[in-house]
């Protein structure tokens, strides 16, 4: 089946520095790429998403870039804060048929913000 | 995502028993999904439903069954045929856009433990 590789699995950065997480996907027909943040024991929360008609999207300190030719997309967090510490998942929407298909998730990146 | 509820929060099952996990949403979403999350892993798609009285298998459907008799409800049954059912189960829902790219909102999850 389709899959997505996510790197790194763990990322430790100093508070105030930037963090970058990268994902590479296999389904060339994908057109929707969300990023979720999950705190320990909680549900995943959407933080930003991008659709294939744009190459970059920004929301305050968070940005996502997409390179469809290379089939990879990245999450950028600037001016990191302690509350950014969590596990981050990239995902893409498969095309199994119909308009509402499931997501394929990466294995996650544990982001640690060092004070 | 506050409009999606799952019950129970914790569930313990003996080997050989079937159990049913509840998922309800009041967001008027057409599509609903079930994912499984194992420790340190991403989410994997079990089943999804794009409309009432219709559902499709995801990547790991073996040992699970679902029904979609009402728009707001999508229960998941974990059968005795599921060899390793201990996991965190997450339900999600979304609108159903013709071109895809519909945001999925997650419920709080059910943590199932097989004794």
């Amino acid at each position: 089946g389709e899959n997505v590789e996510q790197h790194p699995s763990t990322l430790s950065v100093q508070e105030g520095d930037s963090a970058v997480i990268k994902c590479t996907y296999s389904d060339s027909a994908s057109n929707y790429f969300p990023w979720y943040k999950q705190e320990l024991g909680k549900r995943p929360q959407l933080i930003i998403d991008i659709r294939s008609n744009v190459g970059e999207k920004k929301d305050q300190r968070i940005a996502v870039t997409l390179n469809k030719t290379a089939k990879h997309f990245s999450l950028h967090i600037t001016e990191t804060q302690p509350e950014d510490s969590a596990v981050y998942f990239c995902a893409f929407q498969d095309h199994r048929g119909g308009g509402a298909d499931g997501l394929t998730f990466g294995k996650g990146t544990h982001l640690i913000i060092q004070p | 995502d506050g409009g999606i509820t799952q019950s129970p929060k914790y569930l313990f099952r003996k080997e050989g028993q079937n159990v049913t996990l509840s998922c309800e949403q009041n967001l008027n979403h057409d599509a609903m999904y079930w994912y499984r999350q194992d420790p340190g892993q991403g989410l994997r798609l079990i089943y999804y439903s794009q409309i009432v009285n219709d559902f499709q298998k995801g990547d790991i459907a073996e040992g699970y069954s679902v029904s979609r008799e009402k728009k707001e409800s999508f229960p998941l049954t974990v059968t005795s045929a599921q060899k390793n059912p201990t996991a965190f189960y997450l339900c999600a829902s979304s609108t159903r856009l013709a071109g895809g790219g519909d945001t999925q909102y997650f419920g709080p999850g059910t943590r199932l433990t097989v004794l």
Side-chain angles (χ1 to χ4, degrees):
Chain A
E2 305 296 351
N3 64 78
V4 56
E5 294 187 6
Q6 182 172 346
H7 298 283
S9 57
T10 303
L11 178 59
S12 181
V13 301
Q14 290 294 124
E15 182 178 349
D17 288 350
S18 296
V20 180
I21 302 169
K22 299 180 179 179
C23 287
T24 304
Y25 63 98
S26 59
D27 183 0
S28 58
S30 295
N31 62 4
Y32 178 61
F33 306 87
W35 285 89
Y36 285 85
K37 175 183 179 182
Q38 187 178 32
E39 297 177 353
L40 189 62
K42 301 290 182 63
R43 74 186 83 188
Q45 301 264 14
L46 179 75
I47 55 171
I48 196 167
D49 56 14
I50 191 168
R51 290 168 175 80
S52 61
N53 57 340
V54 296
E56 183 174 0
K57 182 178 178 181
K58 190 173 182 180
D59 182 4
Q60 299 182 350
R61 296 186 297 109
I62 296 172
V64 56
T65 58
L66 171 64
N67 183 329
K68 283 216 77 181
T69 302
K71 292 194 283 188
H72 64 72
F73 56 114
S74 300
L75 177 71
H76 305 253
I77 305 174
T78 59
E79 302 173 16
T80 53
Q81 300 169 3
E83 53 266 34
D84 294 331
S85 293
V87 180
Y88 291 80
F89 293 97
C90 65
F92 69 88
Q93 189 167 46
D94 319 20
H95 283 74
R96 303 165 193 261
D101 300 314
L103 297 173
T104 295
F105 283 83
K107 292 190 175 181
T109 296
H110 186 192
L111 178 61
I112 301 166
I113 307 302
Q114 303 279 8
Chain B
D1 53 79
I4 304 176
T5 58
Q6 290 184 241
S7 61
K9 186 174 181 179
Y10 298 97
L11 185 57
F12 297 90
R13 189 196 93 174
K14 293 182 179 179
E15 284 192 22
Q17 288 182 336
N18 292 357
V19 290
T20 298
L21 282 58
S22 169
C23 178
E24 305 276 332
Q25 53 97 3
N26 62 4
L27 301 170
N28 200 33
H29 285 168
D30 284 312
M32 298 186 74
Y33 314 79
W34 275 105
Y35 293 89
R36 168 184 171 140
Q37 186 175 31
D38 294 284
Q41 300 293 316
L43 285 68
R44 292 183 290 167
L45 183 67
I46 304 173
Y47 267 99
Y48 66 108
S49 168
Q50 298 180 358
I51 200 165
V52 175
N53 292 323
D54 185 55
F55 50 83
Q56 287 81 38
K57 293 182 179 180
D59 298 314
I60 55 167
E62 185 176 353
Y64 300 98
S65 66
V66 294
S67 63
R68 187 85 188 278
E69 297 177 1
K70 297 186 296 183
K71 186 175 184 178
E72 58 270 22
S73 178
F74 191 39
L76 173 75
T77 297
V78 184
T79 75
S80 57
Q82 169 49 234
K83 298 191 186 320
N84 187 18
T86 294
F88 189 41
Y89 290 86
L90 288 155
C91 177
S93 71
S94 71
T95 56
R96 185 173 172 227
L97 302 177
D102 39 329
T103 301
Q104 294 186 20
Y105 298 93
F106 284 87
T110 292
R111 196 167 298 277
L112 173 64
T113 303
V114 174
L115 303 173

